[in-house]
Amino acid sequence: MVEFDRSVFIAKFQEEAQDLLQRLNECVITLEAEPDSRELIDQMLRDAHTLKGSSRMVGLLDISDVAHRLEDIMVKIRDRELPYTTEMSDYFFEALDAIVYLADNRGDNEGGVLDLPGLQERLAAVAAAGQVEPSSVNLPSPSPSPSPSQAPEHASDQDPGEHPEDDASGDDEHHDADEPAAGASAETKALKKVHAATIRIRTSQVDQILNLISEVVISQIKEEQRSVELRHGVNEMNEVWQTWLRLKATLGSLSLPEETALALTEEVSALEGALSARRVTAAEFSKKFGDDVSRTSLVVNELQEQGMRLRMLPVSTVFQAFPRAMRDLARSFKKDVDLELEGGDTELDKKVLEEINDPLIHIMRNAVDHGIESADVRVAAGKPAKGKISMAARQEGDHIVIAVSDDGAGIDPAQVRAAAVRKGYISESEAAAMSDREASYLIFEKGFSTSAIITEISGRGVGMDVVREFIVEKLKGSLDVHSELGKGTTFRLTIPLTLAIIRALMLRVGTQVFAMPTASVEETLRVEPGEIIKVEGREVIRRQRRTVPLVHLGEILDTPADGTEGSKIPIATVGFSGHRMGFIVDALVGEQQIVIKPLGSHLLKVENVAGVTVLGAGEVVPILNVPDLMDAARRRSGHKVAHVSQAESAGPRRVLICEDSFTTRELERSIFEAAGYEVEVAMDGAMGLTMLREGINVDAVVSDVQMPNMTGFELTRAIKSDPGLQDIPVIIVTSLERDEEKAEGIQAGADAYITKSVFNQDTLLDTVERLIR
């Protein structure tokens, strides 16, 4: 007898588990606000029960056992044998995170990453008494929404006997069967019918269909161009007819011999008949072809719209993970925050949805960390002790707008300017010339942070630059920020509904046509040469009481321009990250819908080009990359936004490691030497300070805290109080993790504080690199 292979069904289980786990996470969040909701507990019981039974069926017994323990707790809460407390949520989340990890890894707990016996004991203790000591185990970053793993198939060989009271399907006396009972509601039966009328289709198949639709759209654009050309041909035929009529009248006025006149009249009549017939035929053909193209356009547009809907999903598929993420973030920052979600039913292309999760997480994290004040500060400012963050989505035309708002402290433009000058992003004169709005956009620059110190959760300058990269560069959308000091901040993300088809402004430079996404174009205009003035050697125009720098697009793209001196000059004004720039071109061709074609794997990155499109005449047109253009334009017009690190211009970098532990010292030495640094070492803070005062030249100091003779905090104070040493960055690497210890590091003047519990070489190198720059 051939043994039944359950492992082939694991992928199916992963797909089912994704929805179940997401709903359970949401239910736990809701349960904290509605602890007496019987309906909520019943839903959690059903989902945990399904997880238990399905995982046991495919042989993932560790998942089944954890789900069973969760079920035990929920049954007691439902039956009023155990009062629900908010502390229980921590154990629920610990269990769900463990299931996510196991599901992603096909049930494999390789290397004992999870303490499953300990987790089972804690859950059993909660079921028995309601209180146990929480686990301090850190899972390896489980995702909020579990997804099917691509790991090799794996099935557990454990004997499914730990809970003999369950049968193979996991059904028991606590739950209803999957099929609706005879008295099931009409709504339940209707839902069953809806499910029966749906099919599953692989994303790759949908992508293939949409690629073919895009080719049909390109063909349709070509046919519309042909129709226009045909109408022009008919117009030319009418002009020929008018010319013929004038010629005929001239011939009729000539005095010719009778025989010649008769012969000429016959030829004229024949030619007139041929021209007239051809004119009528061309006009009829043009009309019929135009009508056919119009009808086909309607069908193609409908096909395109329906095709795009195949890949459309509600924004709630991303939003639903945020309540849990918000809860965890608020707890990690020791703040009390409410999250409000709106517009979850707004639909967006699946590929776009996949890209916006990270930017939204970064914005939300930034709002909790930097935006929402502590409870005592809020109360002192007359605000509610609990902060509020809202996330709302809505459709505007062919774009989706997602607004993330908080009622926190707002962005202080003066603080941003000071940080930008201190870290070398801009000069003091550039900072003084910046408006508050322009200054607020500096937070999107790579590596920028206003934090006085870098820790494992703040000040790394990683986050808001990622938002810009994803929203503007990847998704060809736009990003706006509005902040009012003391009242809060709103980030506005405008994203195209789909990445396949966009609206674009067609520009011509010389003989080459380019496409620029209209999402980035503020306005188009034609100005007289006299309206262009020079300020500090740079060409600018005045628009709406603002000075807009100008650059010639042809110079950036290295494309020869026609040079239209004496006539009005076409300009496209682009807004990006708080900056405006006017691009001078030879002609503004017009706006139209285009199909984006990627450059291909052999051209992963071409400066200033995001892709190509094909016009009706078969012409291949480059689609401009607006972030690249703006960077190049600002460099050309004299604006400085980034700077070159000293390390890039002064040869090998050198660090001083102050550490009394031989093992840690040698580990850090090997990390830096492998990265190309020169390394000096000291066994304690006193030795390190002596070396510095004797003239050793280093780019950074990496120090422990607890050392003999002089602690790391004392060393930091000594360095920062010495005029000759105070500019050297000091990075604390320590096992001291309490908030008051970090506060002491900040007060001492440390530039970064890395705890050994989250230490890894990438974190250390990245921090030192950023501080040296």
Side-chain angles (χ1 to χ4, degrees), residues 22-253:
Q22 183 61 59
R23 191 159 58 225
L24 279 166
N25 268 282
E26 293 171 4
C27 286
V28 175
I29 294 289
T30 307
L31 188 63
E32 291 184 340
E34 304 174 20
D36 297 325
S37 173
R38 172 63 182 267
E39 182 181 352
L40 199 58
I41 285 292
D42 286 344
Q43 178 65 58
M44 295 172 70
L45 267 169
R46 285 191 294 271
D47 290 342
H49 179 69
T50 302
L51 266 178
K52 179 186 72 174
S54 298
S55 57
R56 185 169 293 275
M57 285 289 289
V58 298
L60 303 182
L61 302 183
D62 285 338
I63 293 178
S64 179
D65 291 343
V66 173
H68 185 88
R69 294 298 185 191
L70 277 177
E71 194 180 25
D72 289 343
I73 300 172
M74 293 170 188
V75 168
K76 290 198 172 185
I77 295 174
R78 182 197 64 182
D79 295 342
R80 310 288 184 183
E81 296 177 15
L82 189 66
Y84 166 79
T85 62
T86 55
E87 289 76 11
M88 289 181 181
S89 296
D90 293 331
Y91 306 108
F92 289 160
F93 284 135
E94 183 185 359
L96 293 174
D97 286 345
I99 294 175
V100 168
Y101 179 78
L102 290 169
D104 281 349
N105 292 279
R106 295 177 171 253
D108 192 352
N109 186 25
E110 185 177 355
V113 172
L114 302 176
D115 177 18
L116 291 175
L119 175 60
Q120 297 275 12
E121 291 175 7
R122 287 189 292 277
L123 294 175
V126 170
Q131 293 288 339
V132 295
E133 187 66 25
S135 168
S136 61
V137 174
N138 291 321
L139 298 182
S141 303
S143 57
S145 299
S147 58
S149 171
Q150 299 300 316
E153 301 227 337
H154 172 83
S156 173
D157 295 325
Q158 180 181 344
D159 183 11
E162 184 169 342
H163 301 290
E165 68 273 21
D166 293 341
D167 60 19
S169 68
D171 291 331
D172 58 34
E173 71 277 10
H174 297 310
H175 312 286
D176 297 329
D178 286 337
E179 290 301 319
S185 68
E187 181 182 357
T188 303
K189 294 178 179 178
L191 187 60
K192 289 285 183 179
K193 290 182 180 179
V194 170
H195 285 187
T198 61
I199 62 171
R200 292 185 182 273
I201 182 171
R202 289 193 298 274
T203 304
S204 60
Q205 292 177 304
V206 175
D207 291 341
Q208 289 172 4
I209 292 172
L210 293 178
N211 286 336
L212 291 173
I213 290 176
S214 70
E215 293 297 331
V216 173
V217 171
I218 290 175
S219 297
Q220 181 60 28
I221 292 172
K222 290 181 179 180
E223 293 304 310
E224 290 172 352
Q225 182 64 31
R226 299 289 182 271
S227 180
V228 171
E229 293 170 357
L230 193 55
R231 286 199 299 272
H232 289 163
V234 170
N235 292 334
E236 290 173 356
M237 180 67 74
N238 289 332
E239 291 175 3
V240 170
W241 177 254
Q242 294 301 320
T243 301
W244 161 250
L245 292 178
R246 290 194 295 272
L247 177 60
K248 179 183 175 183
T250 301
L251 291 174
S253 64

Side-chain angles (χ1 to χ4, degrees), residues 655 657 662-677 679 681 759 761 764-765:
V655 296
I657 297 174
F662 173 78
T663 302
T664 302
R665 189 169 64 245
E666 291 306 306
L667 171 63
E668 292 175 349
R669 181 209 290 269
S670 65
I671 289 172
F672 281 109
E673 287 181 343
Y677 285 81
V679 180
V681 295
F759 173 86
Q761 68 178 39
L764 180 60
L765 290 172

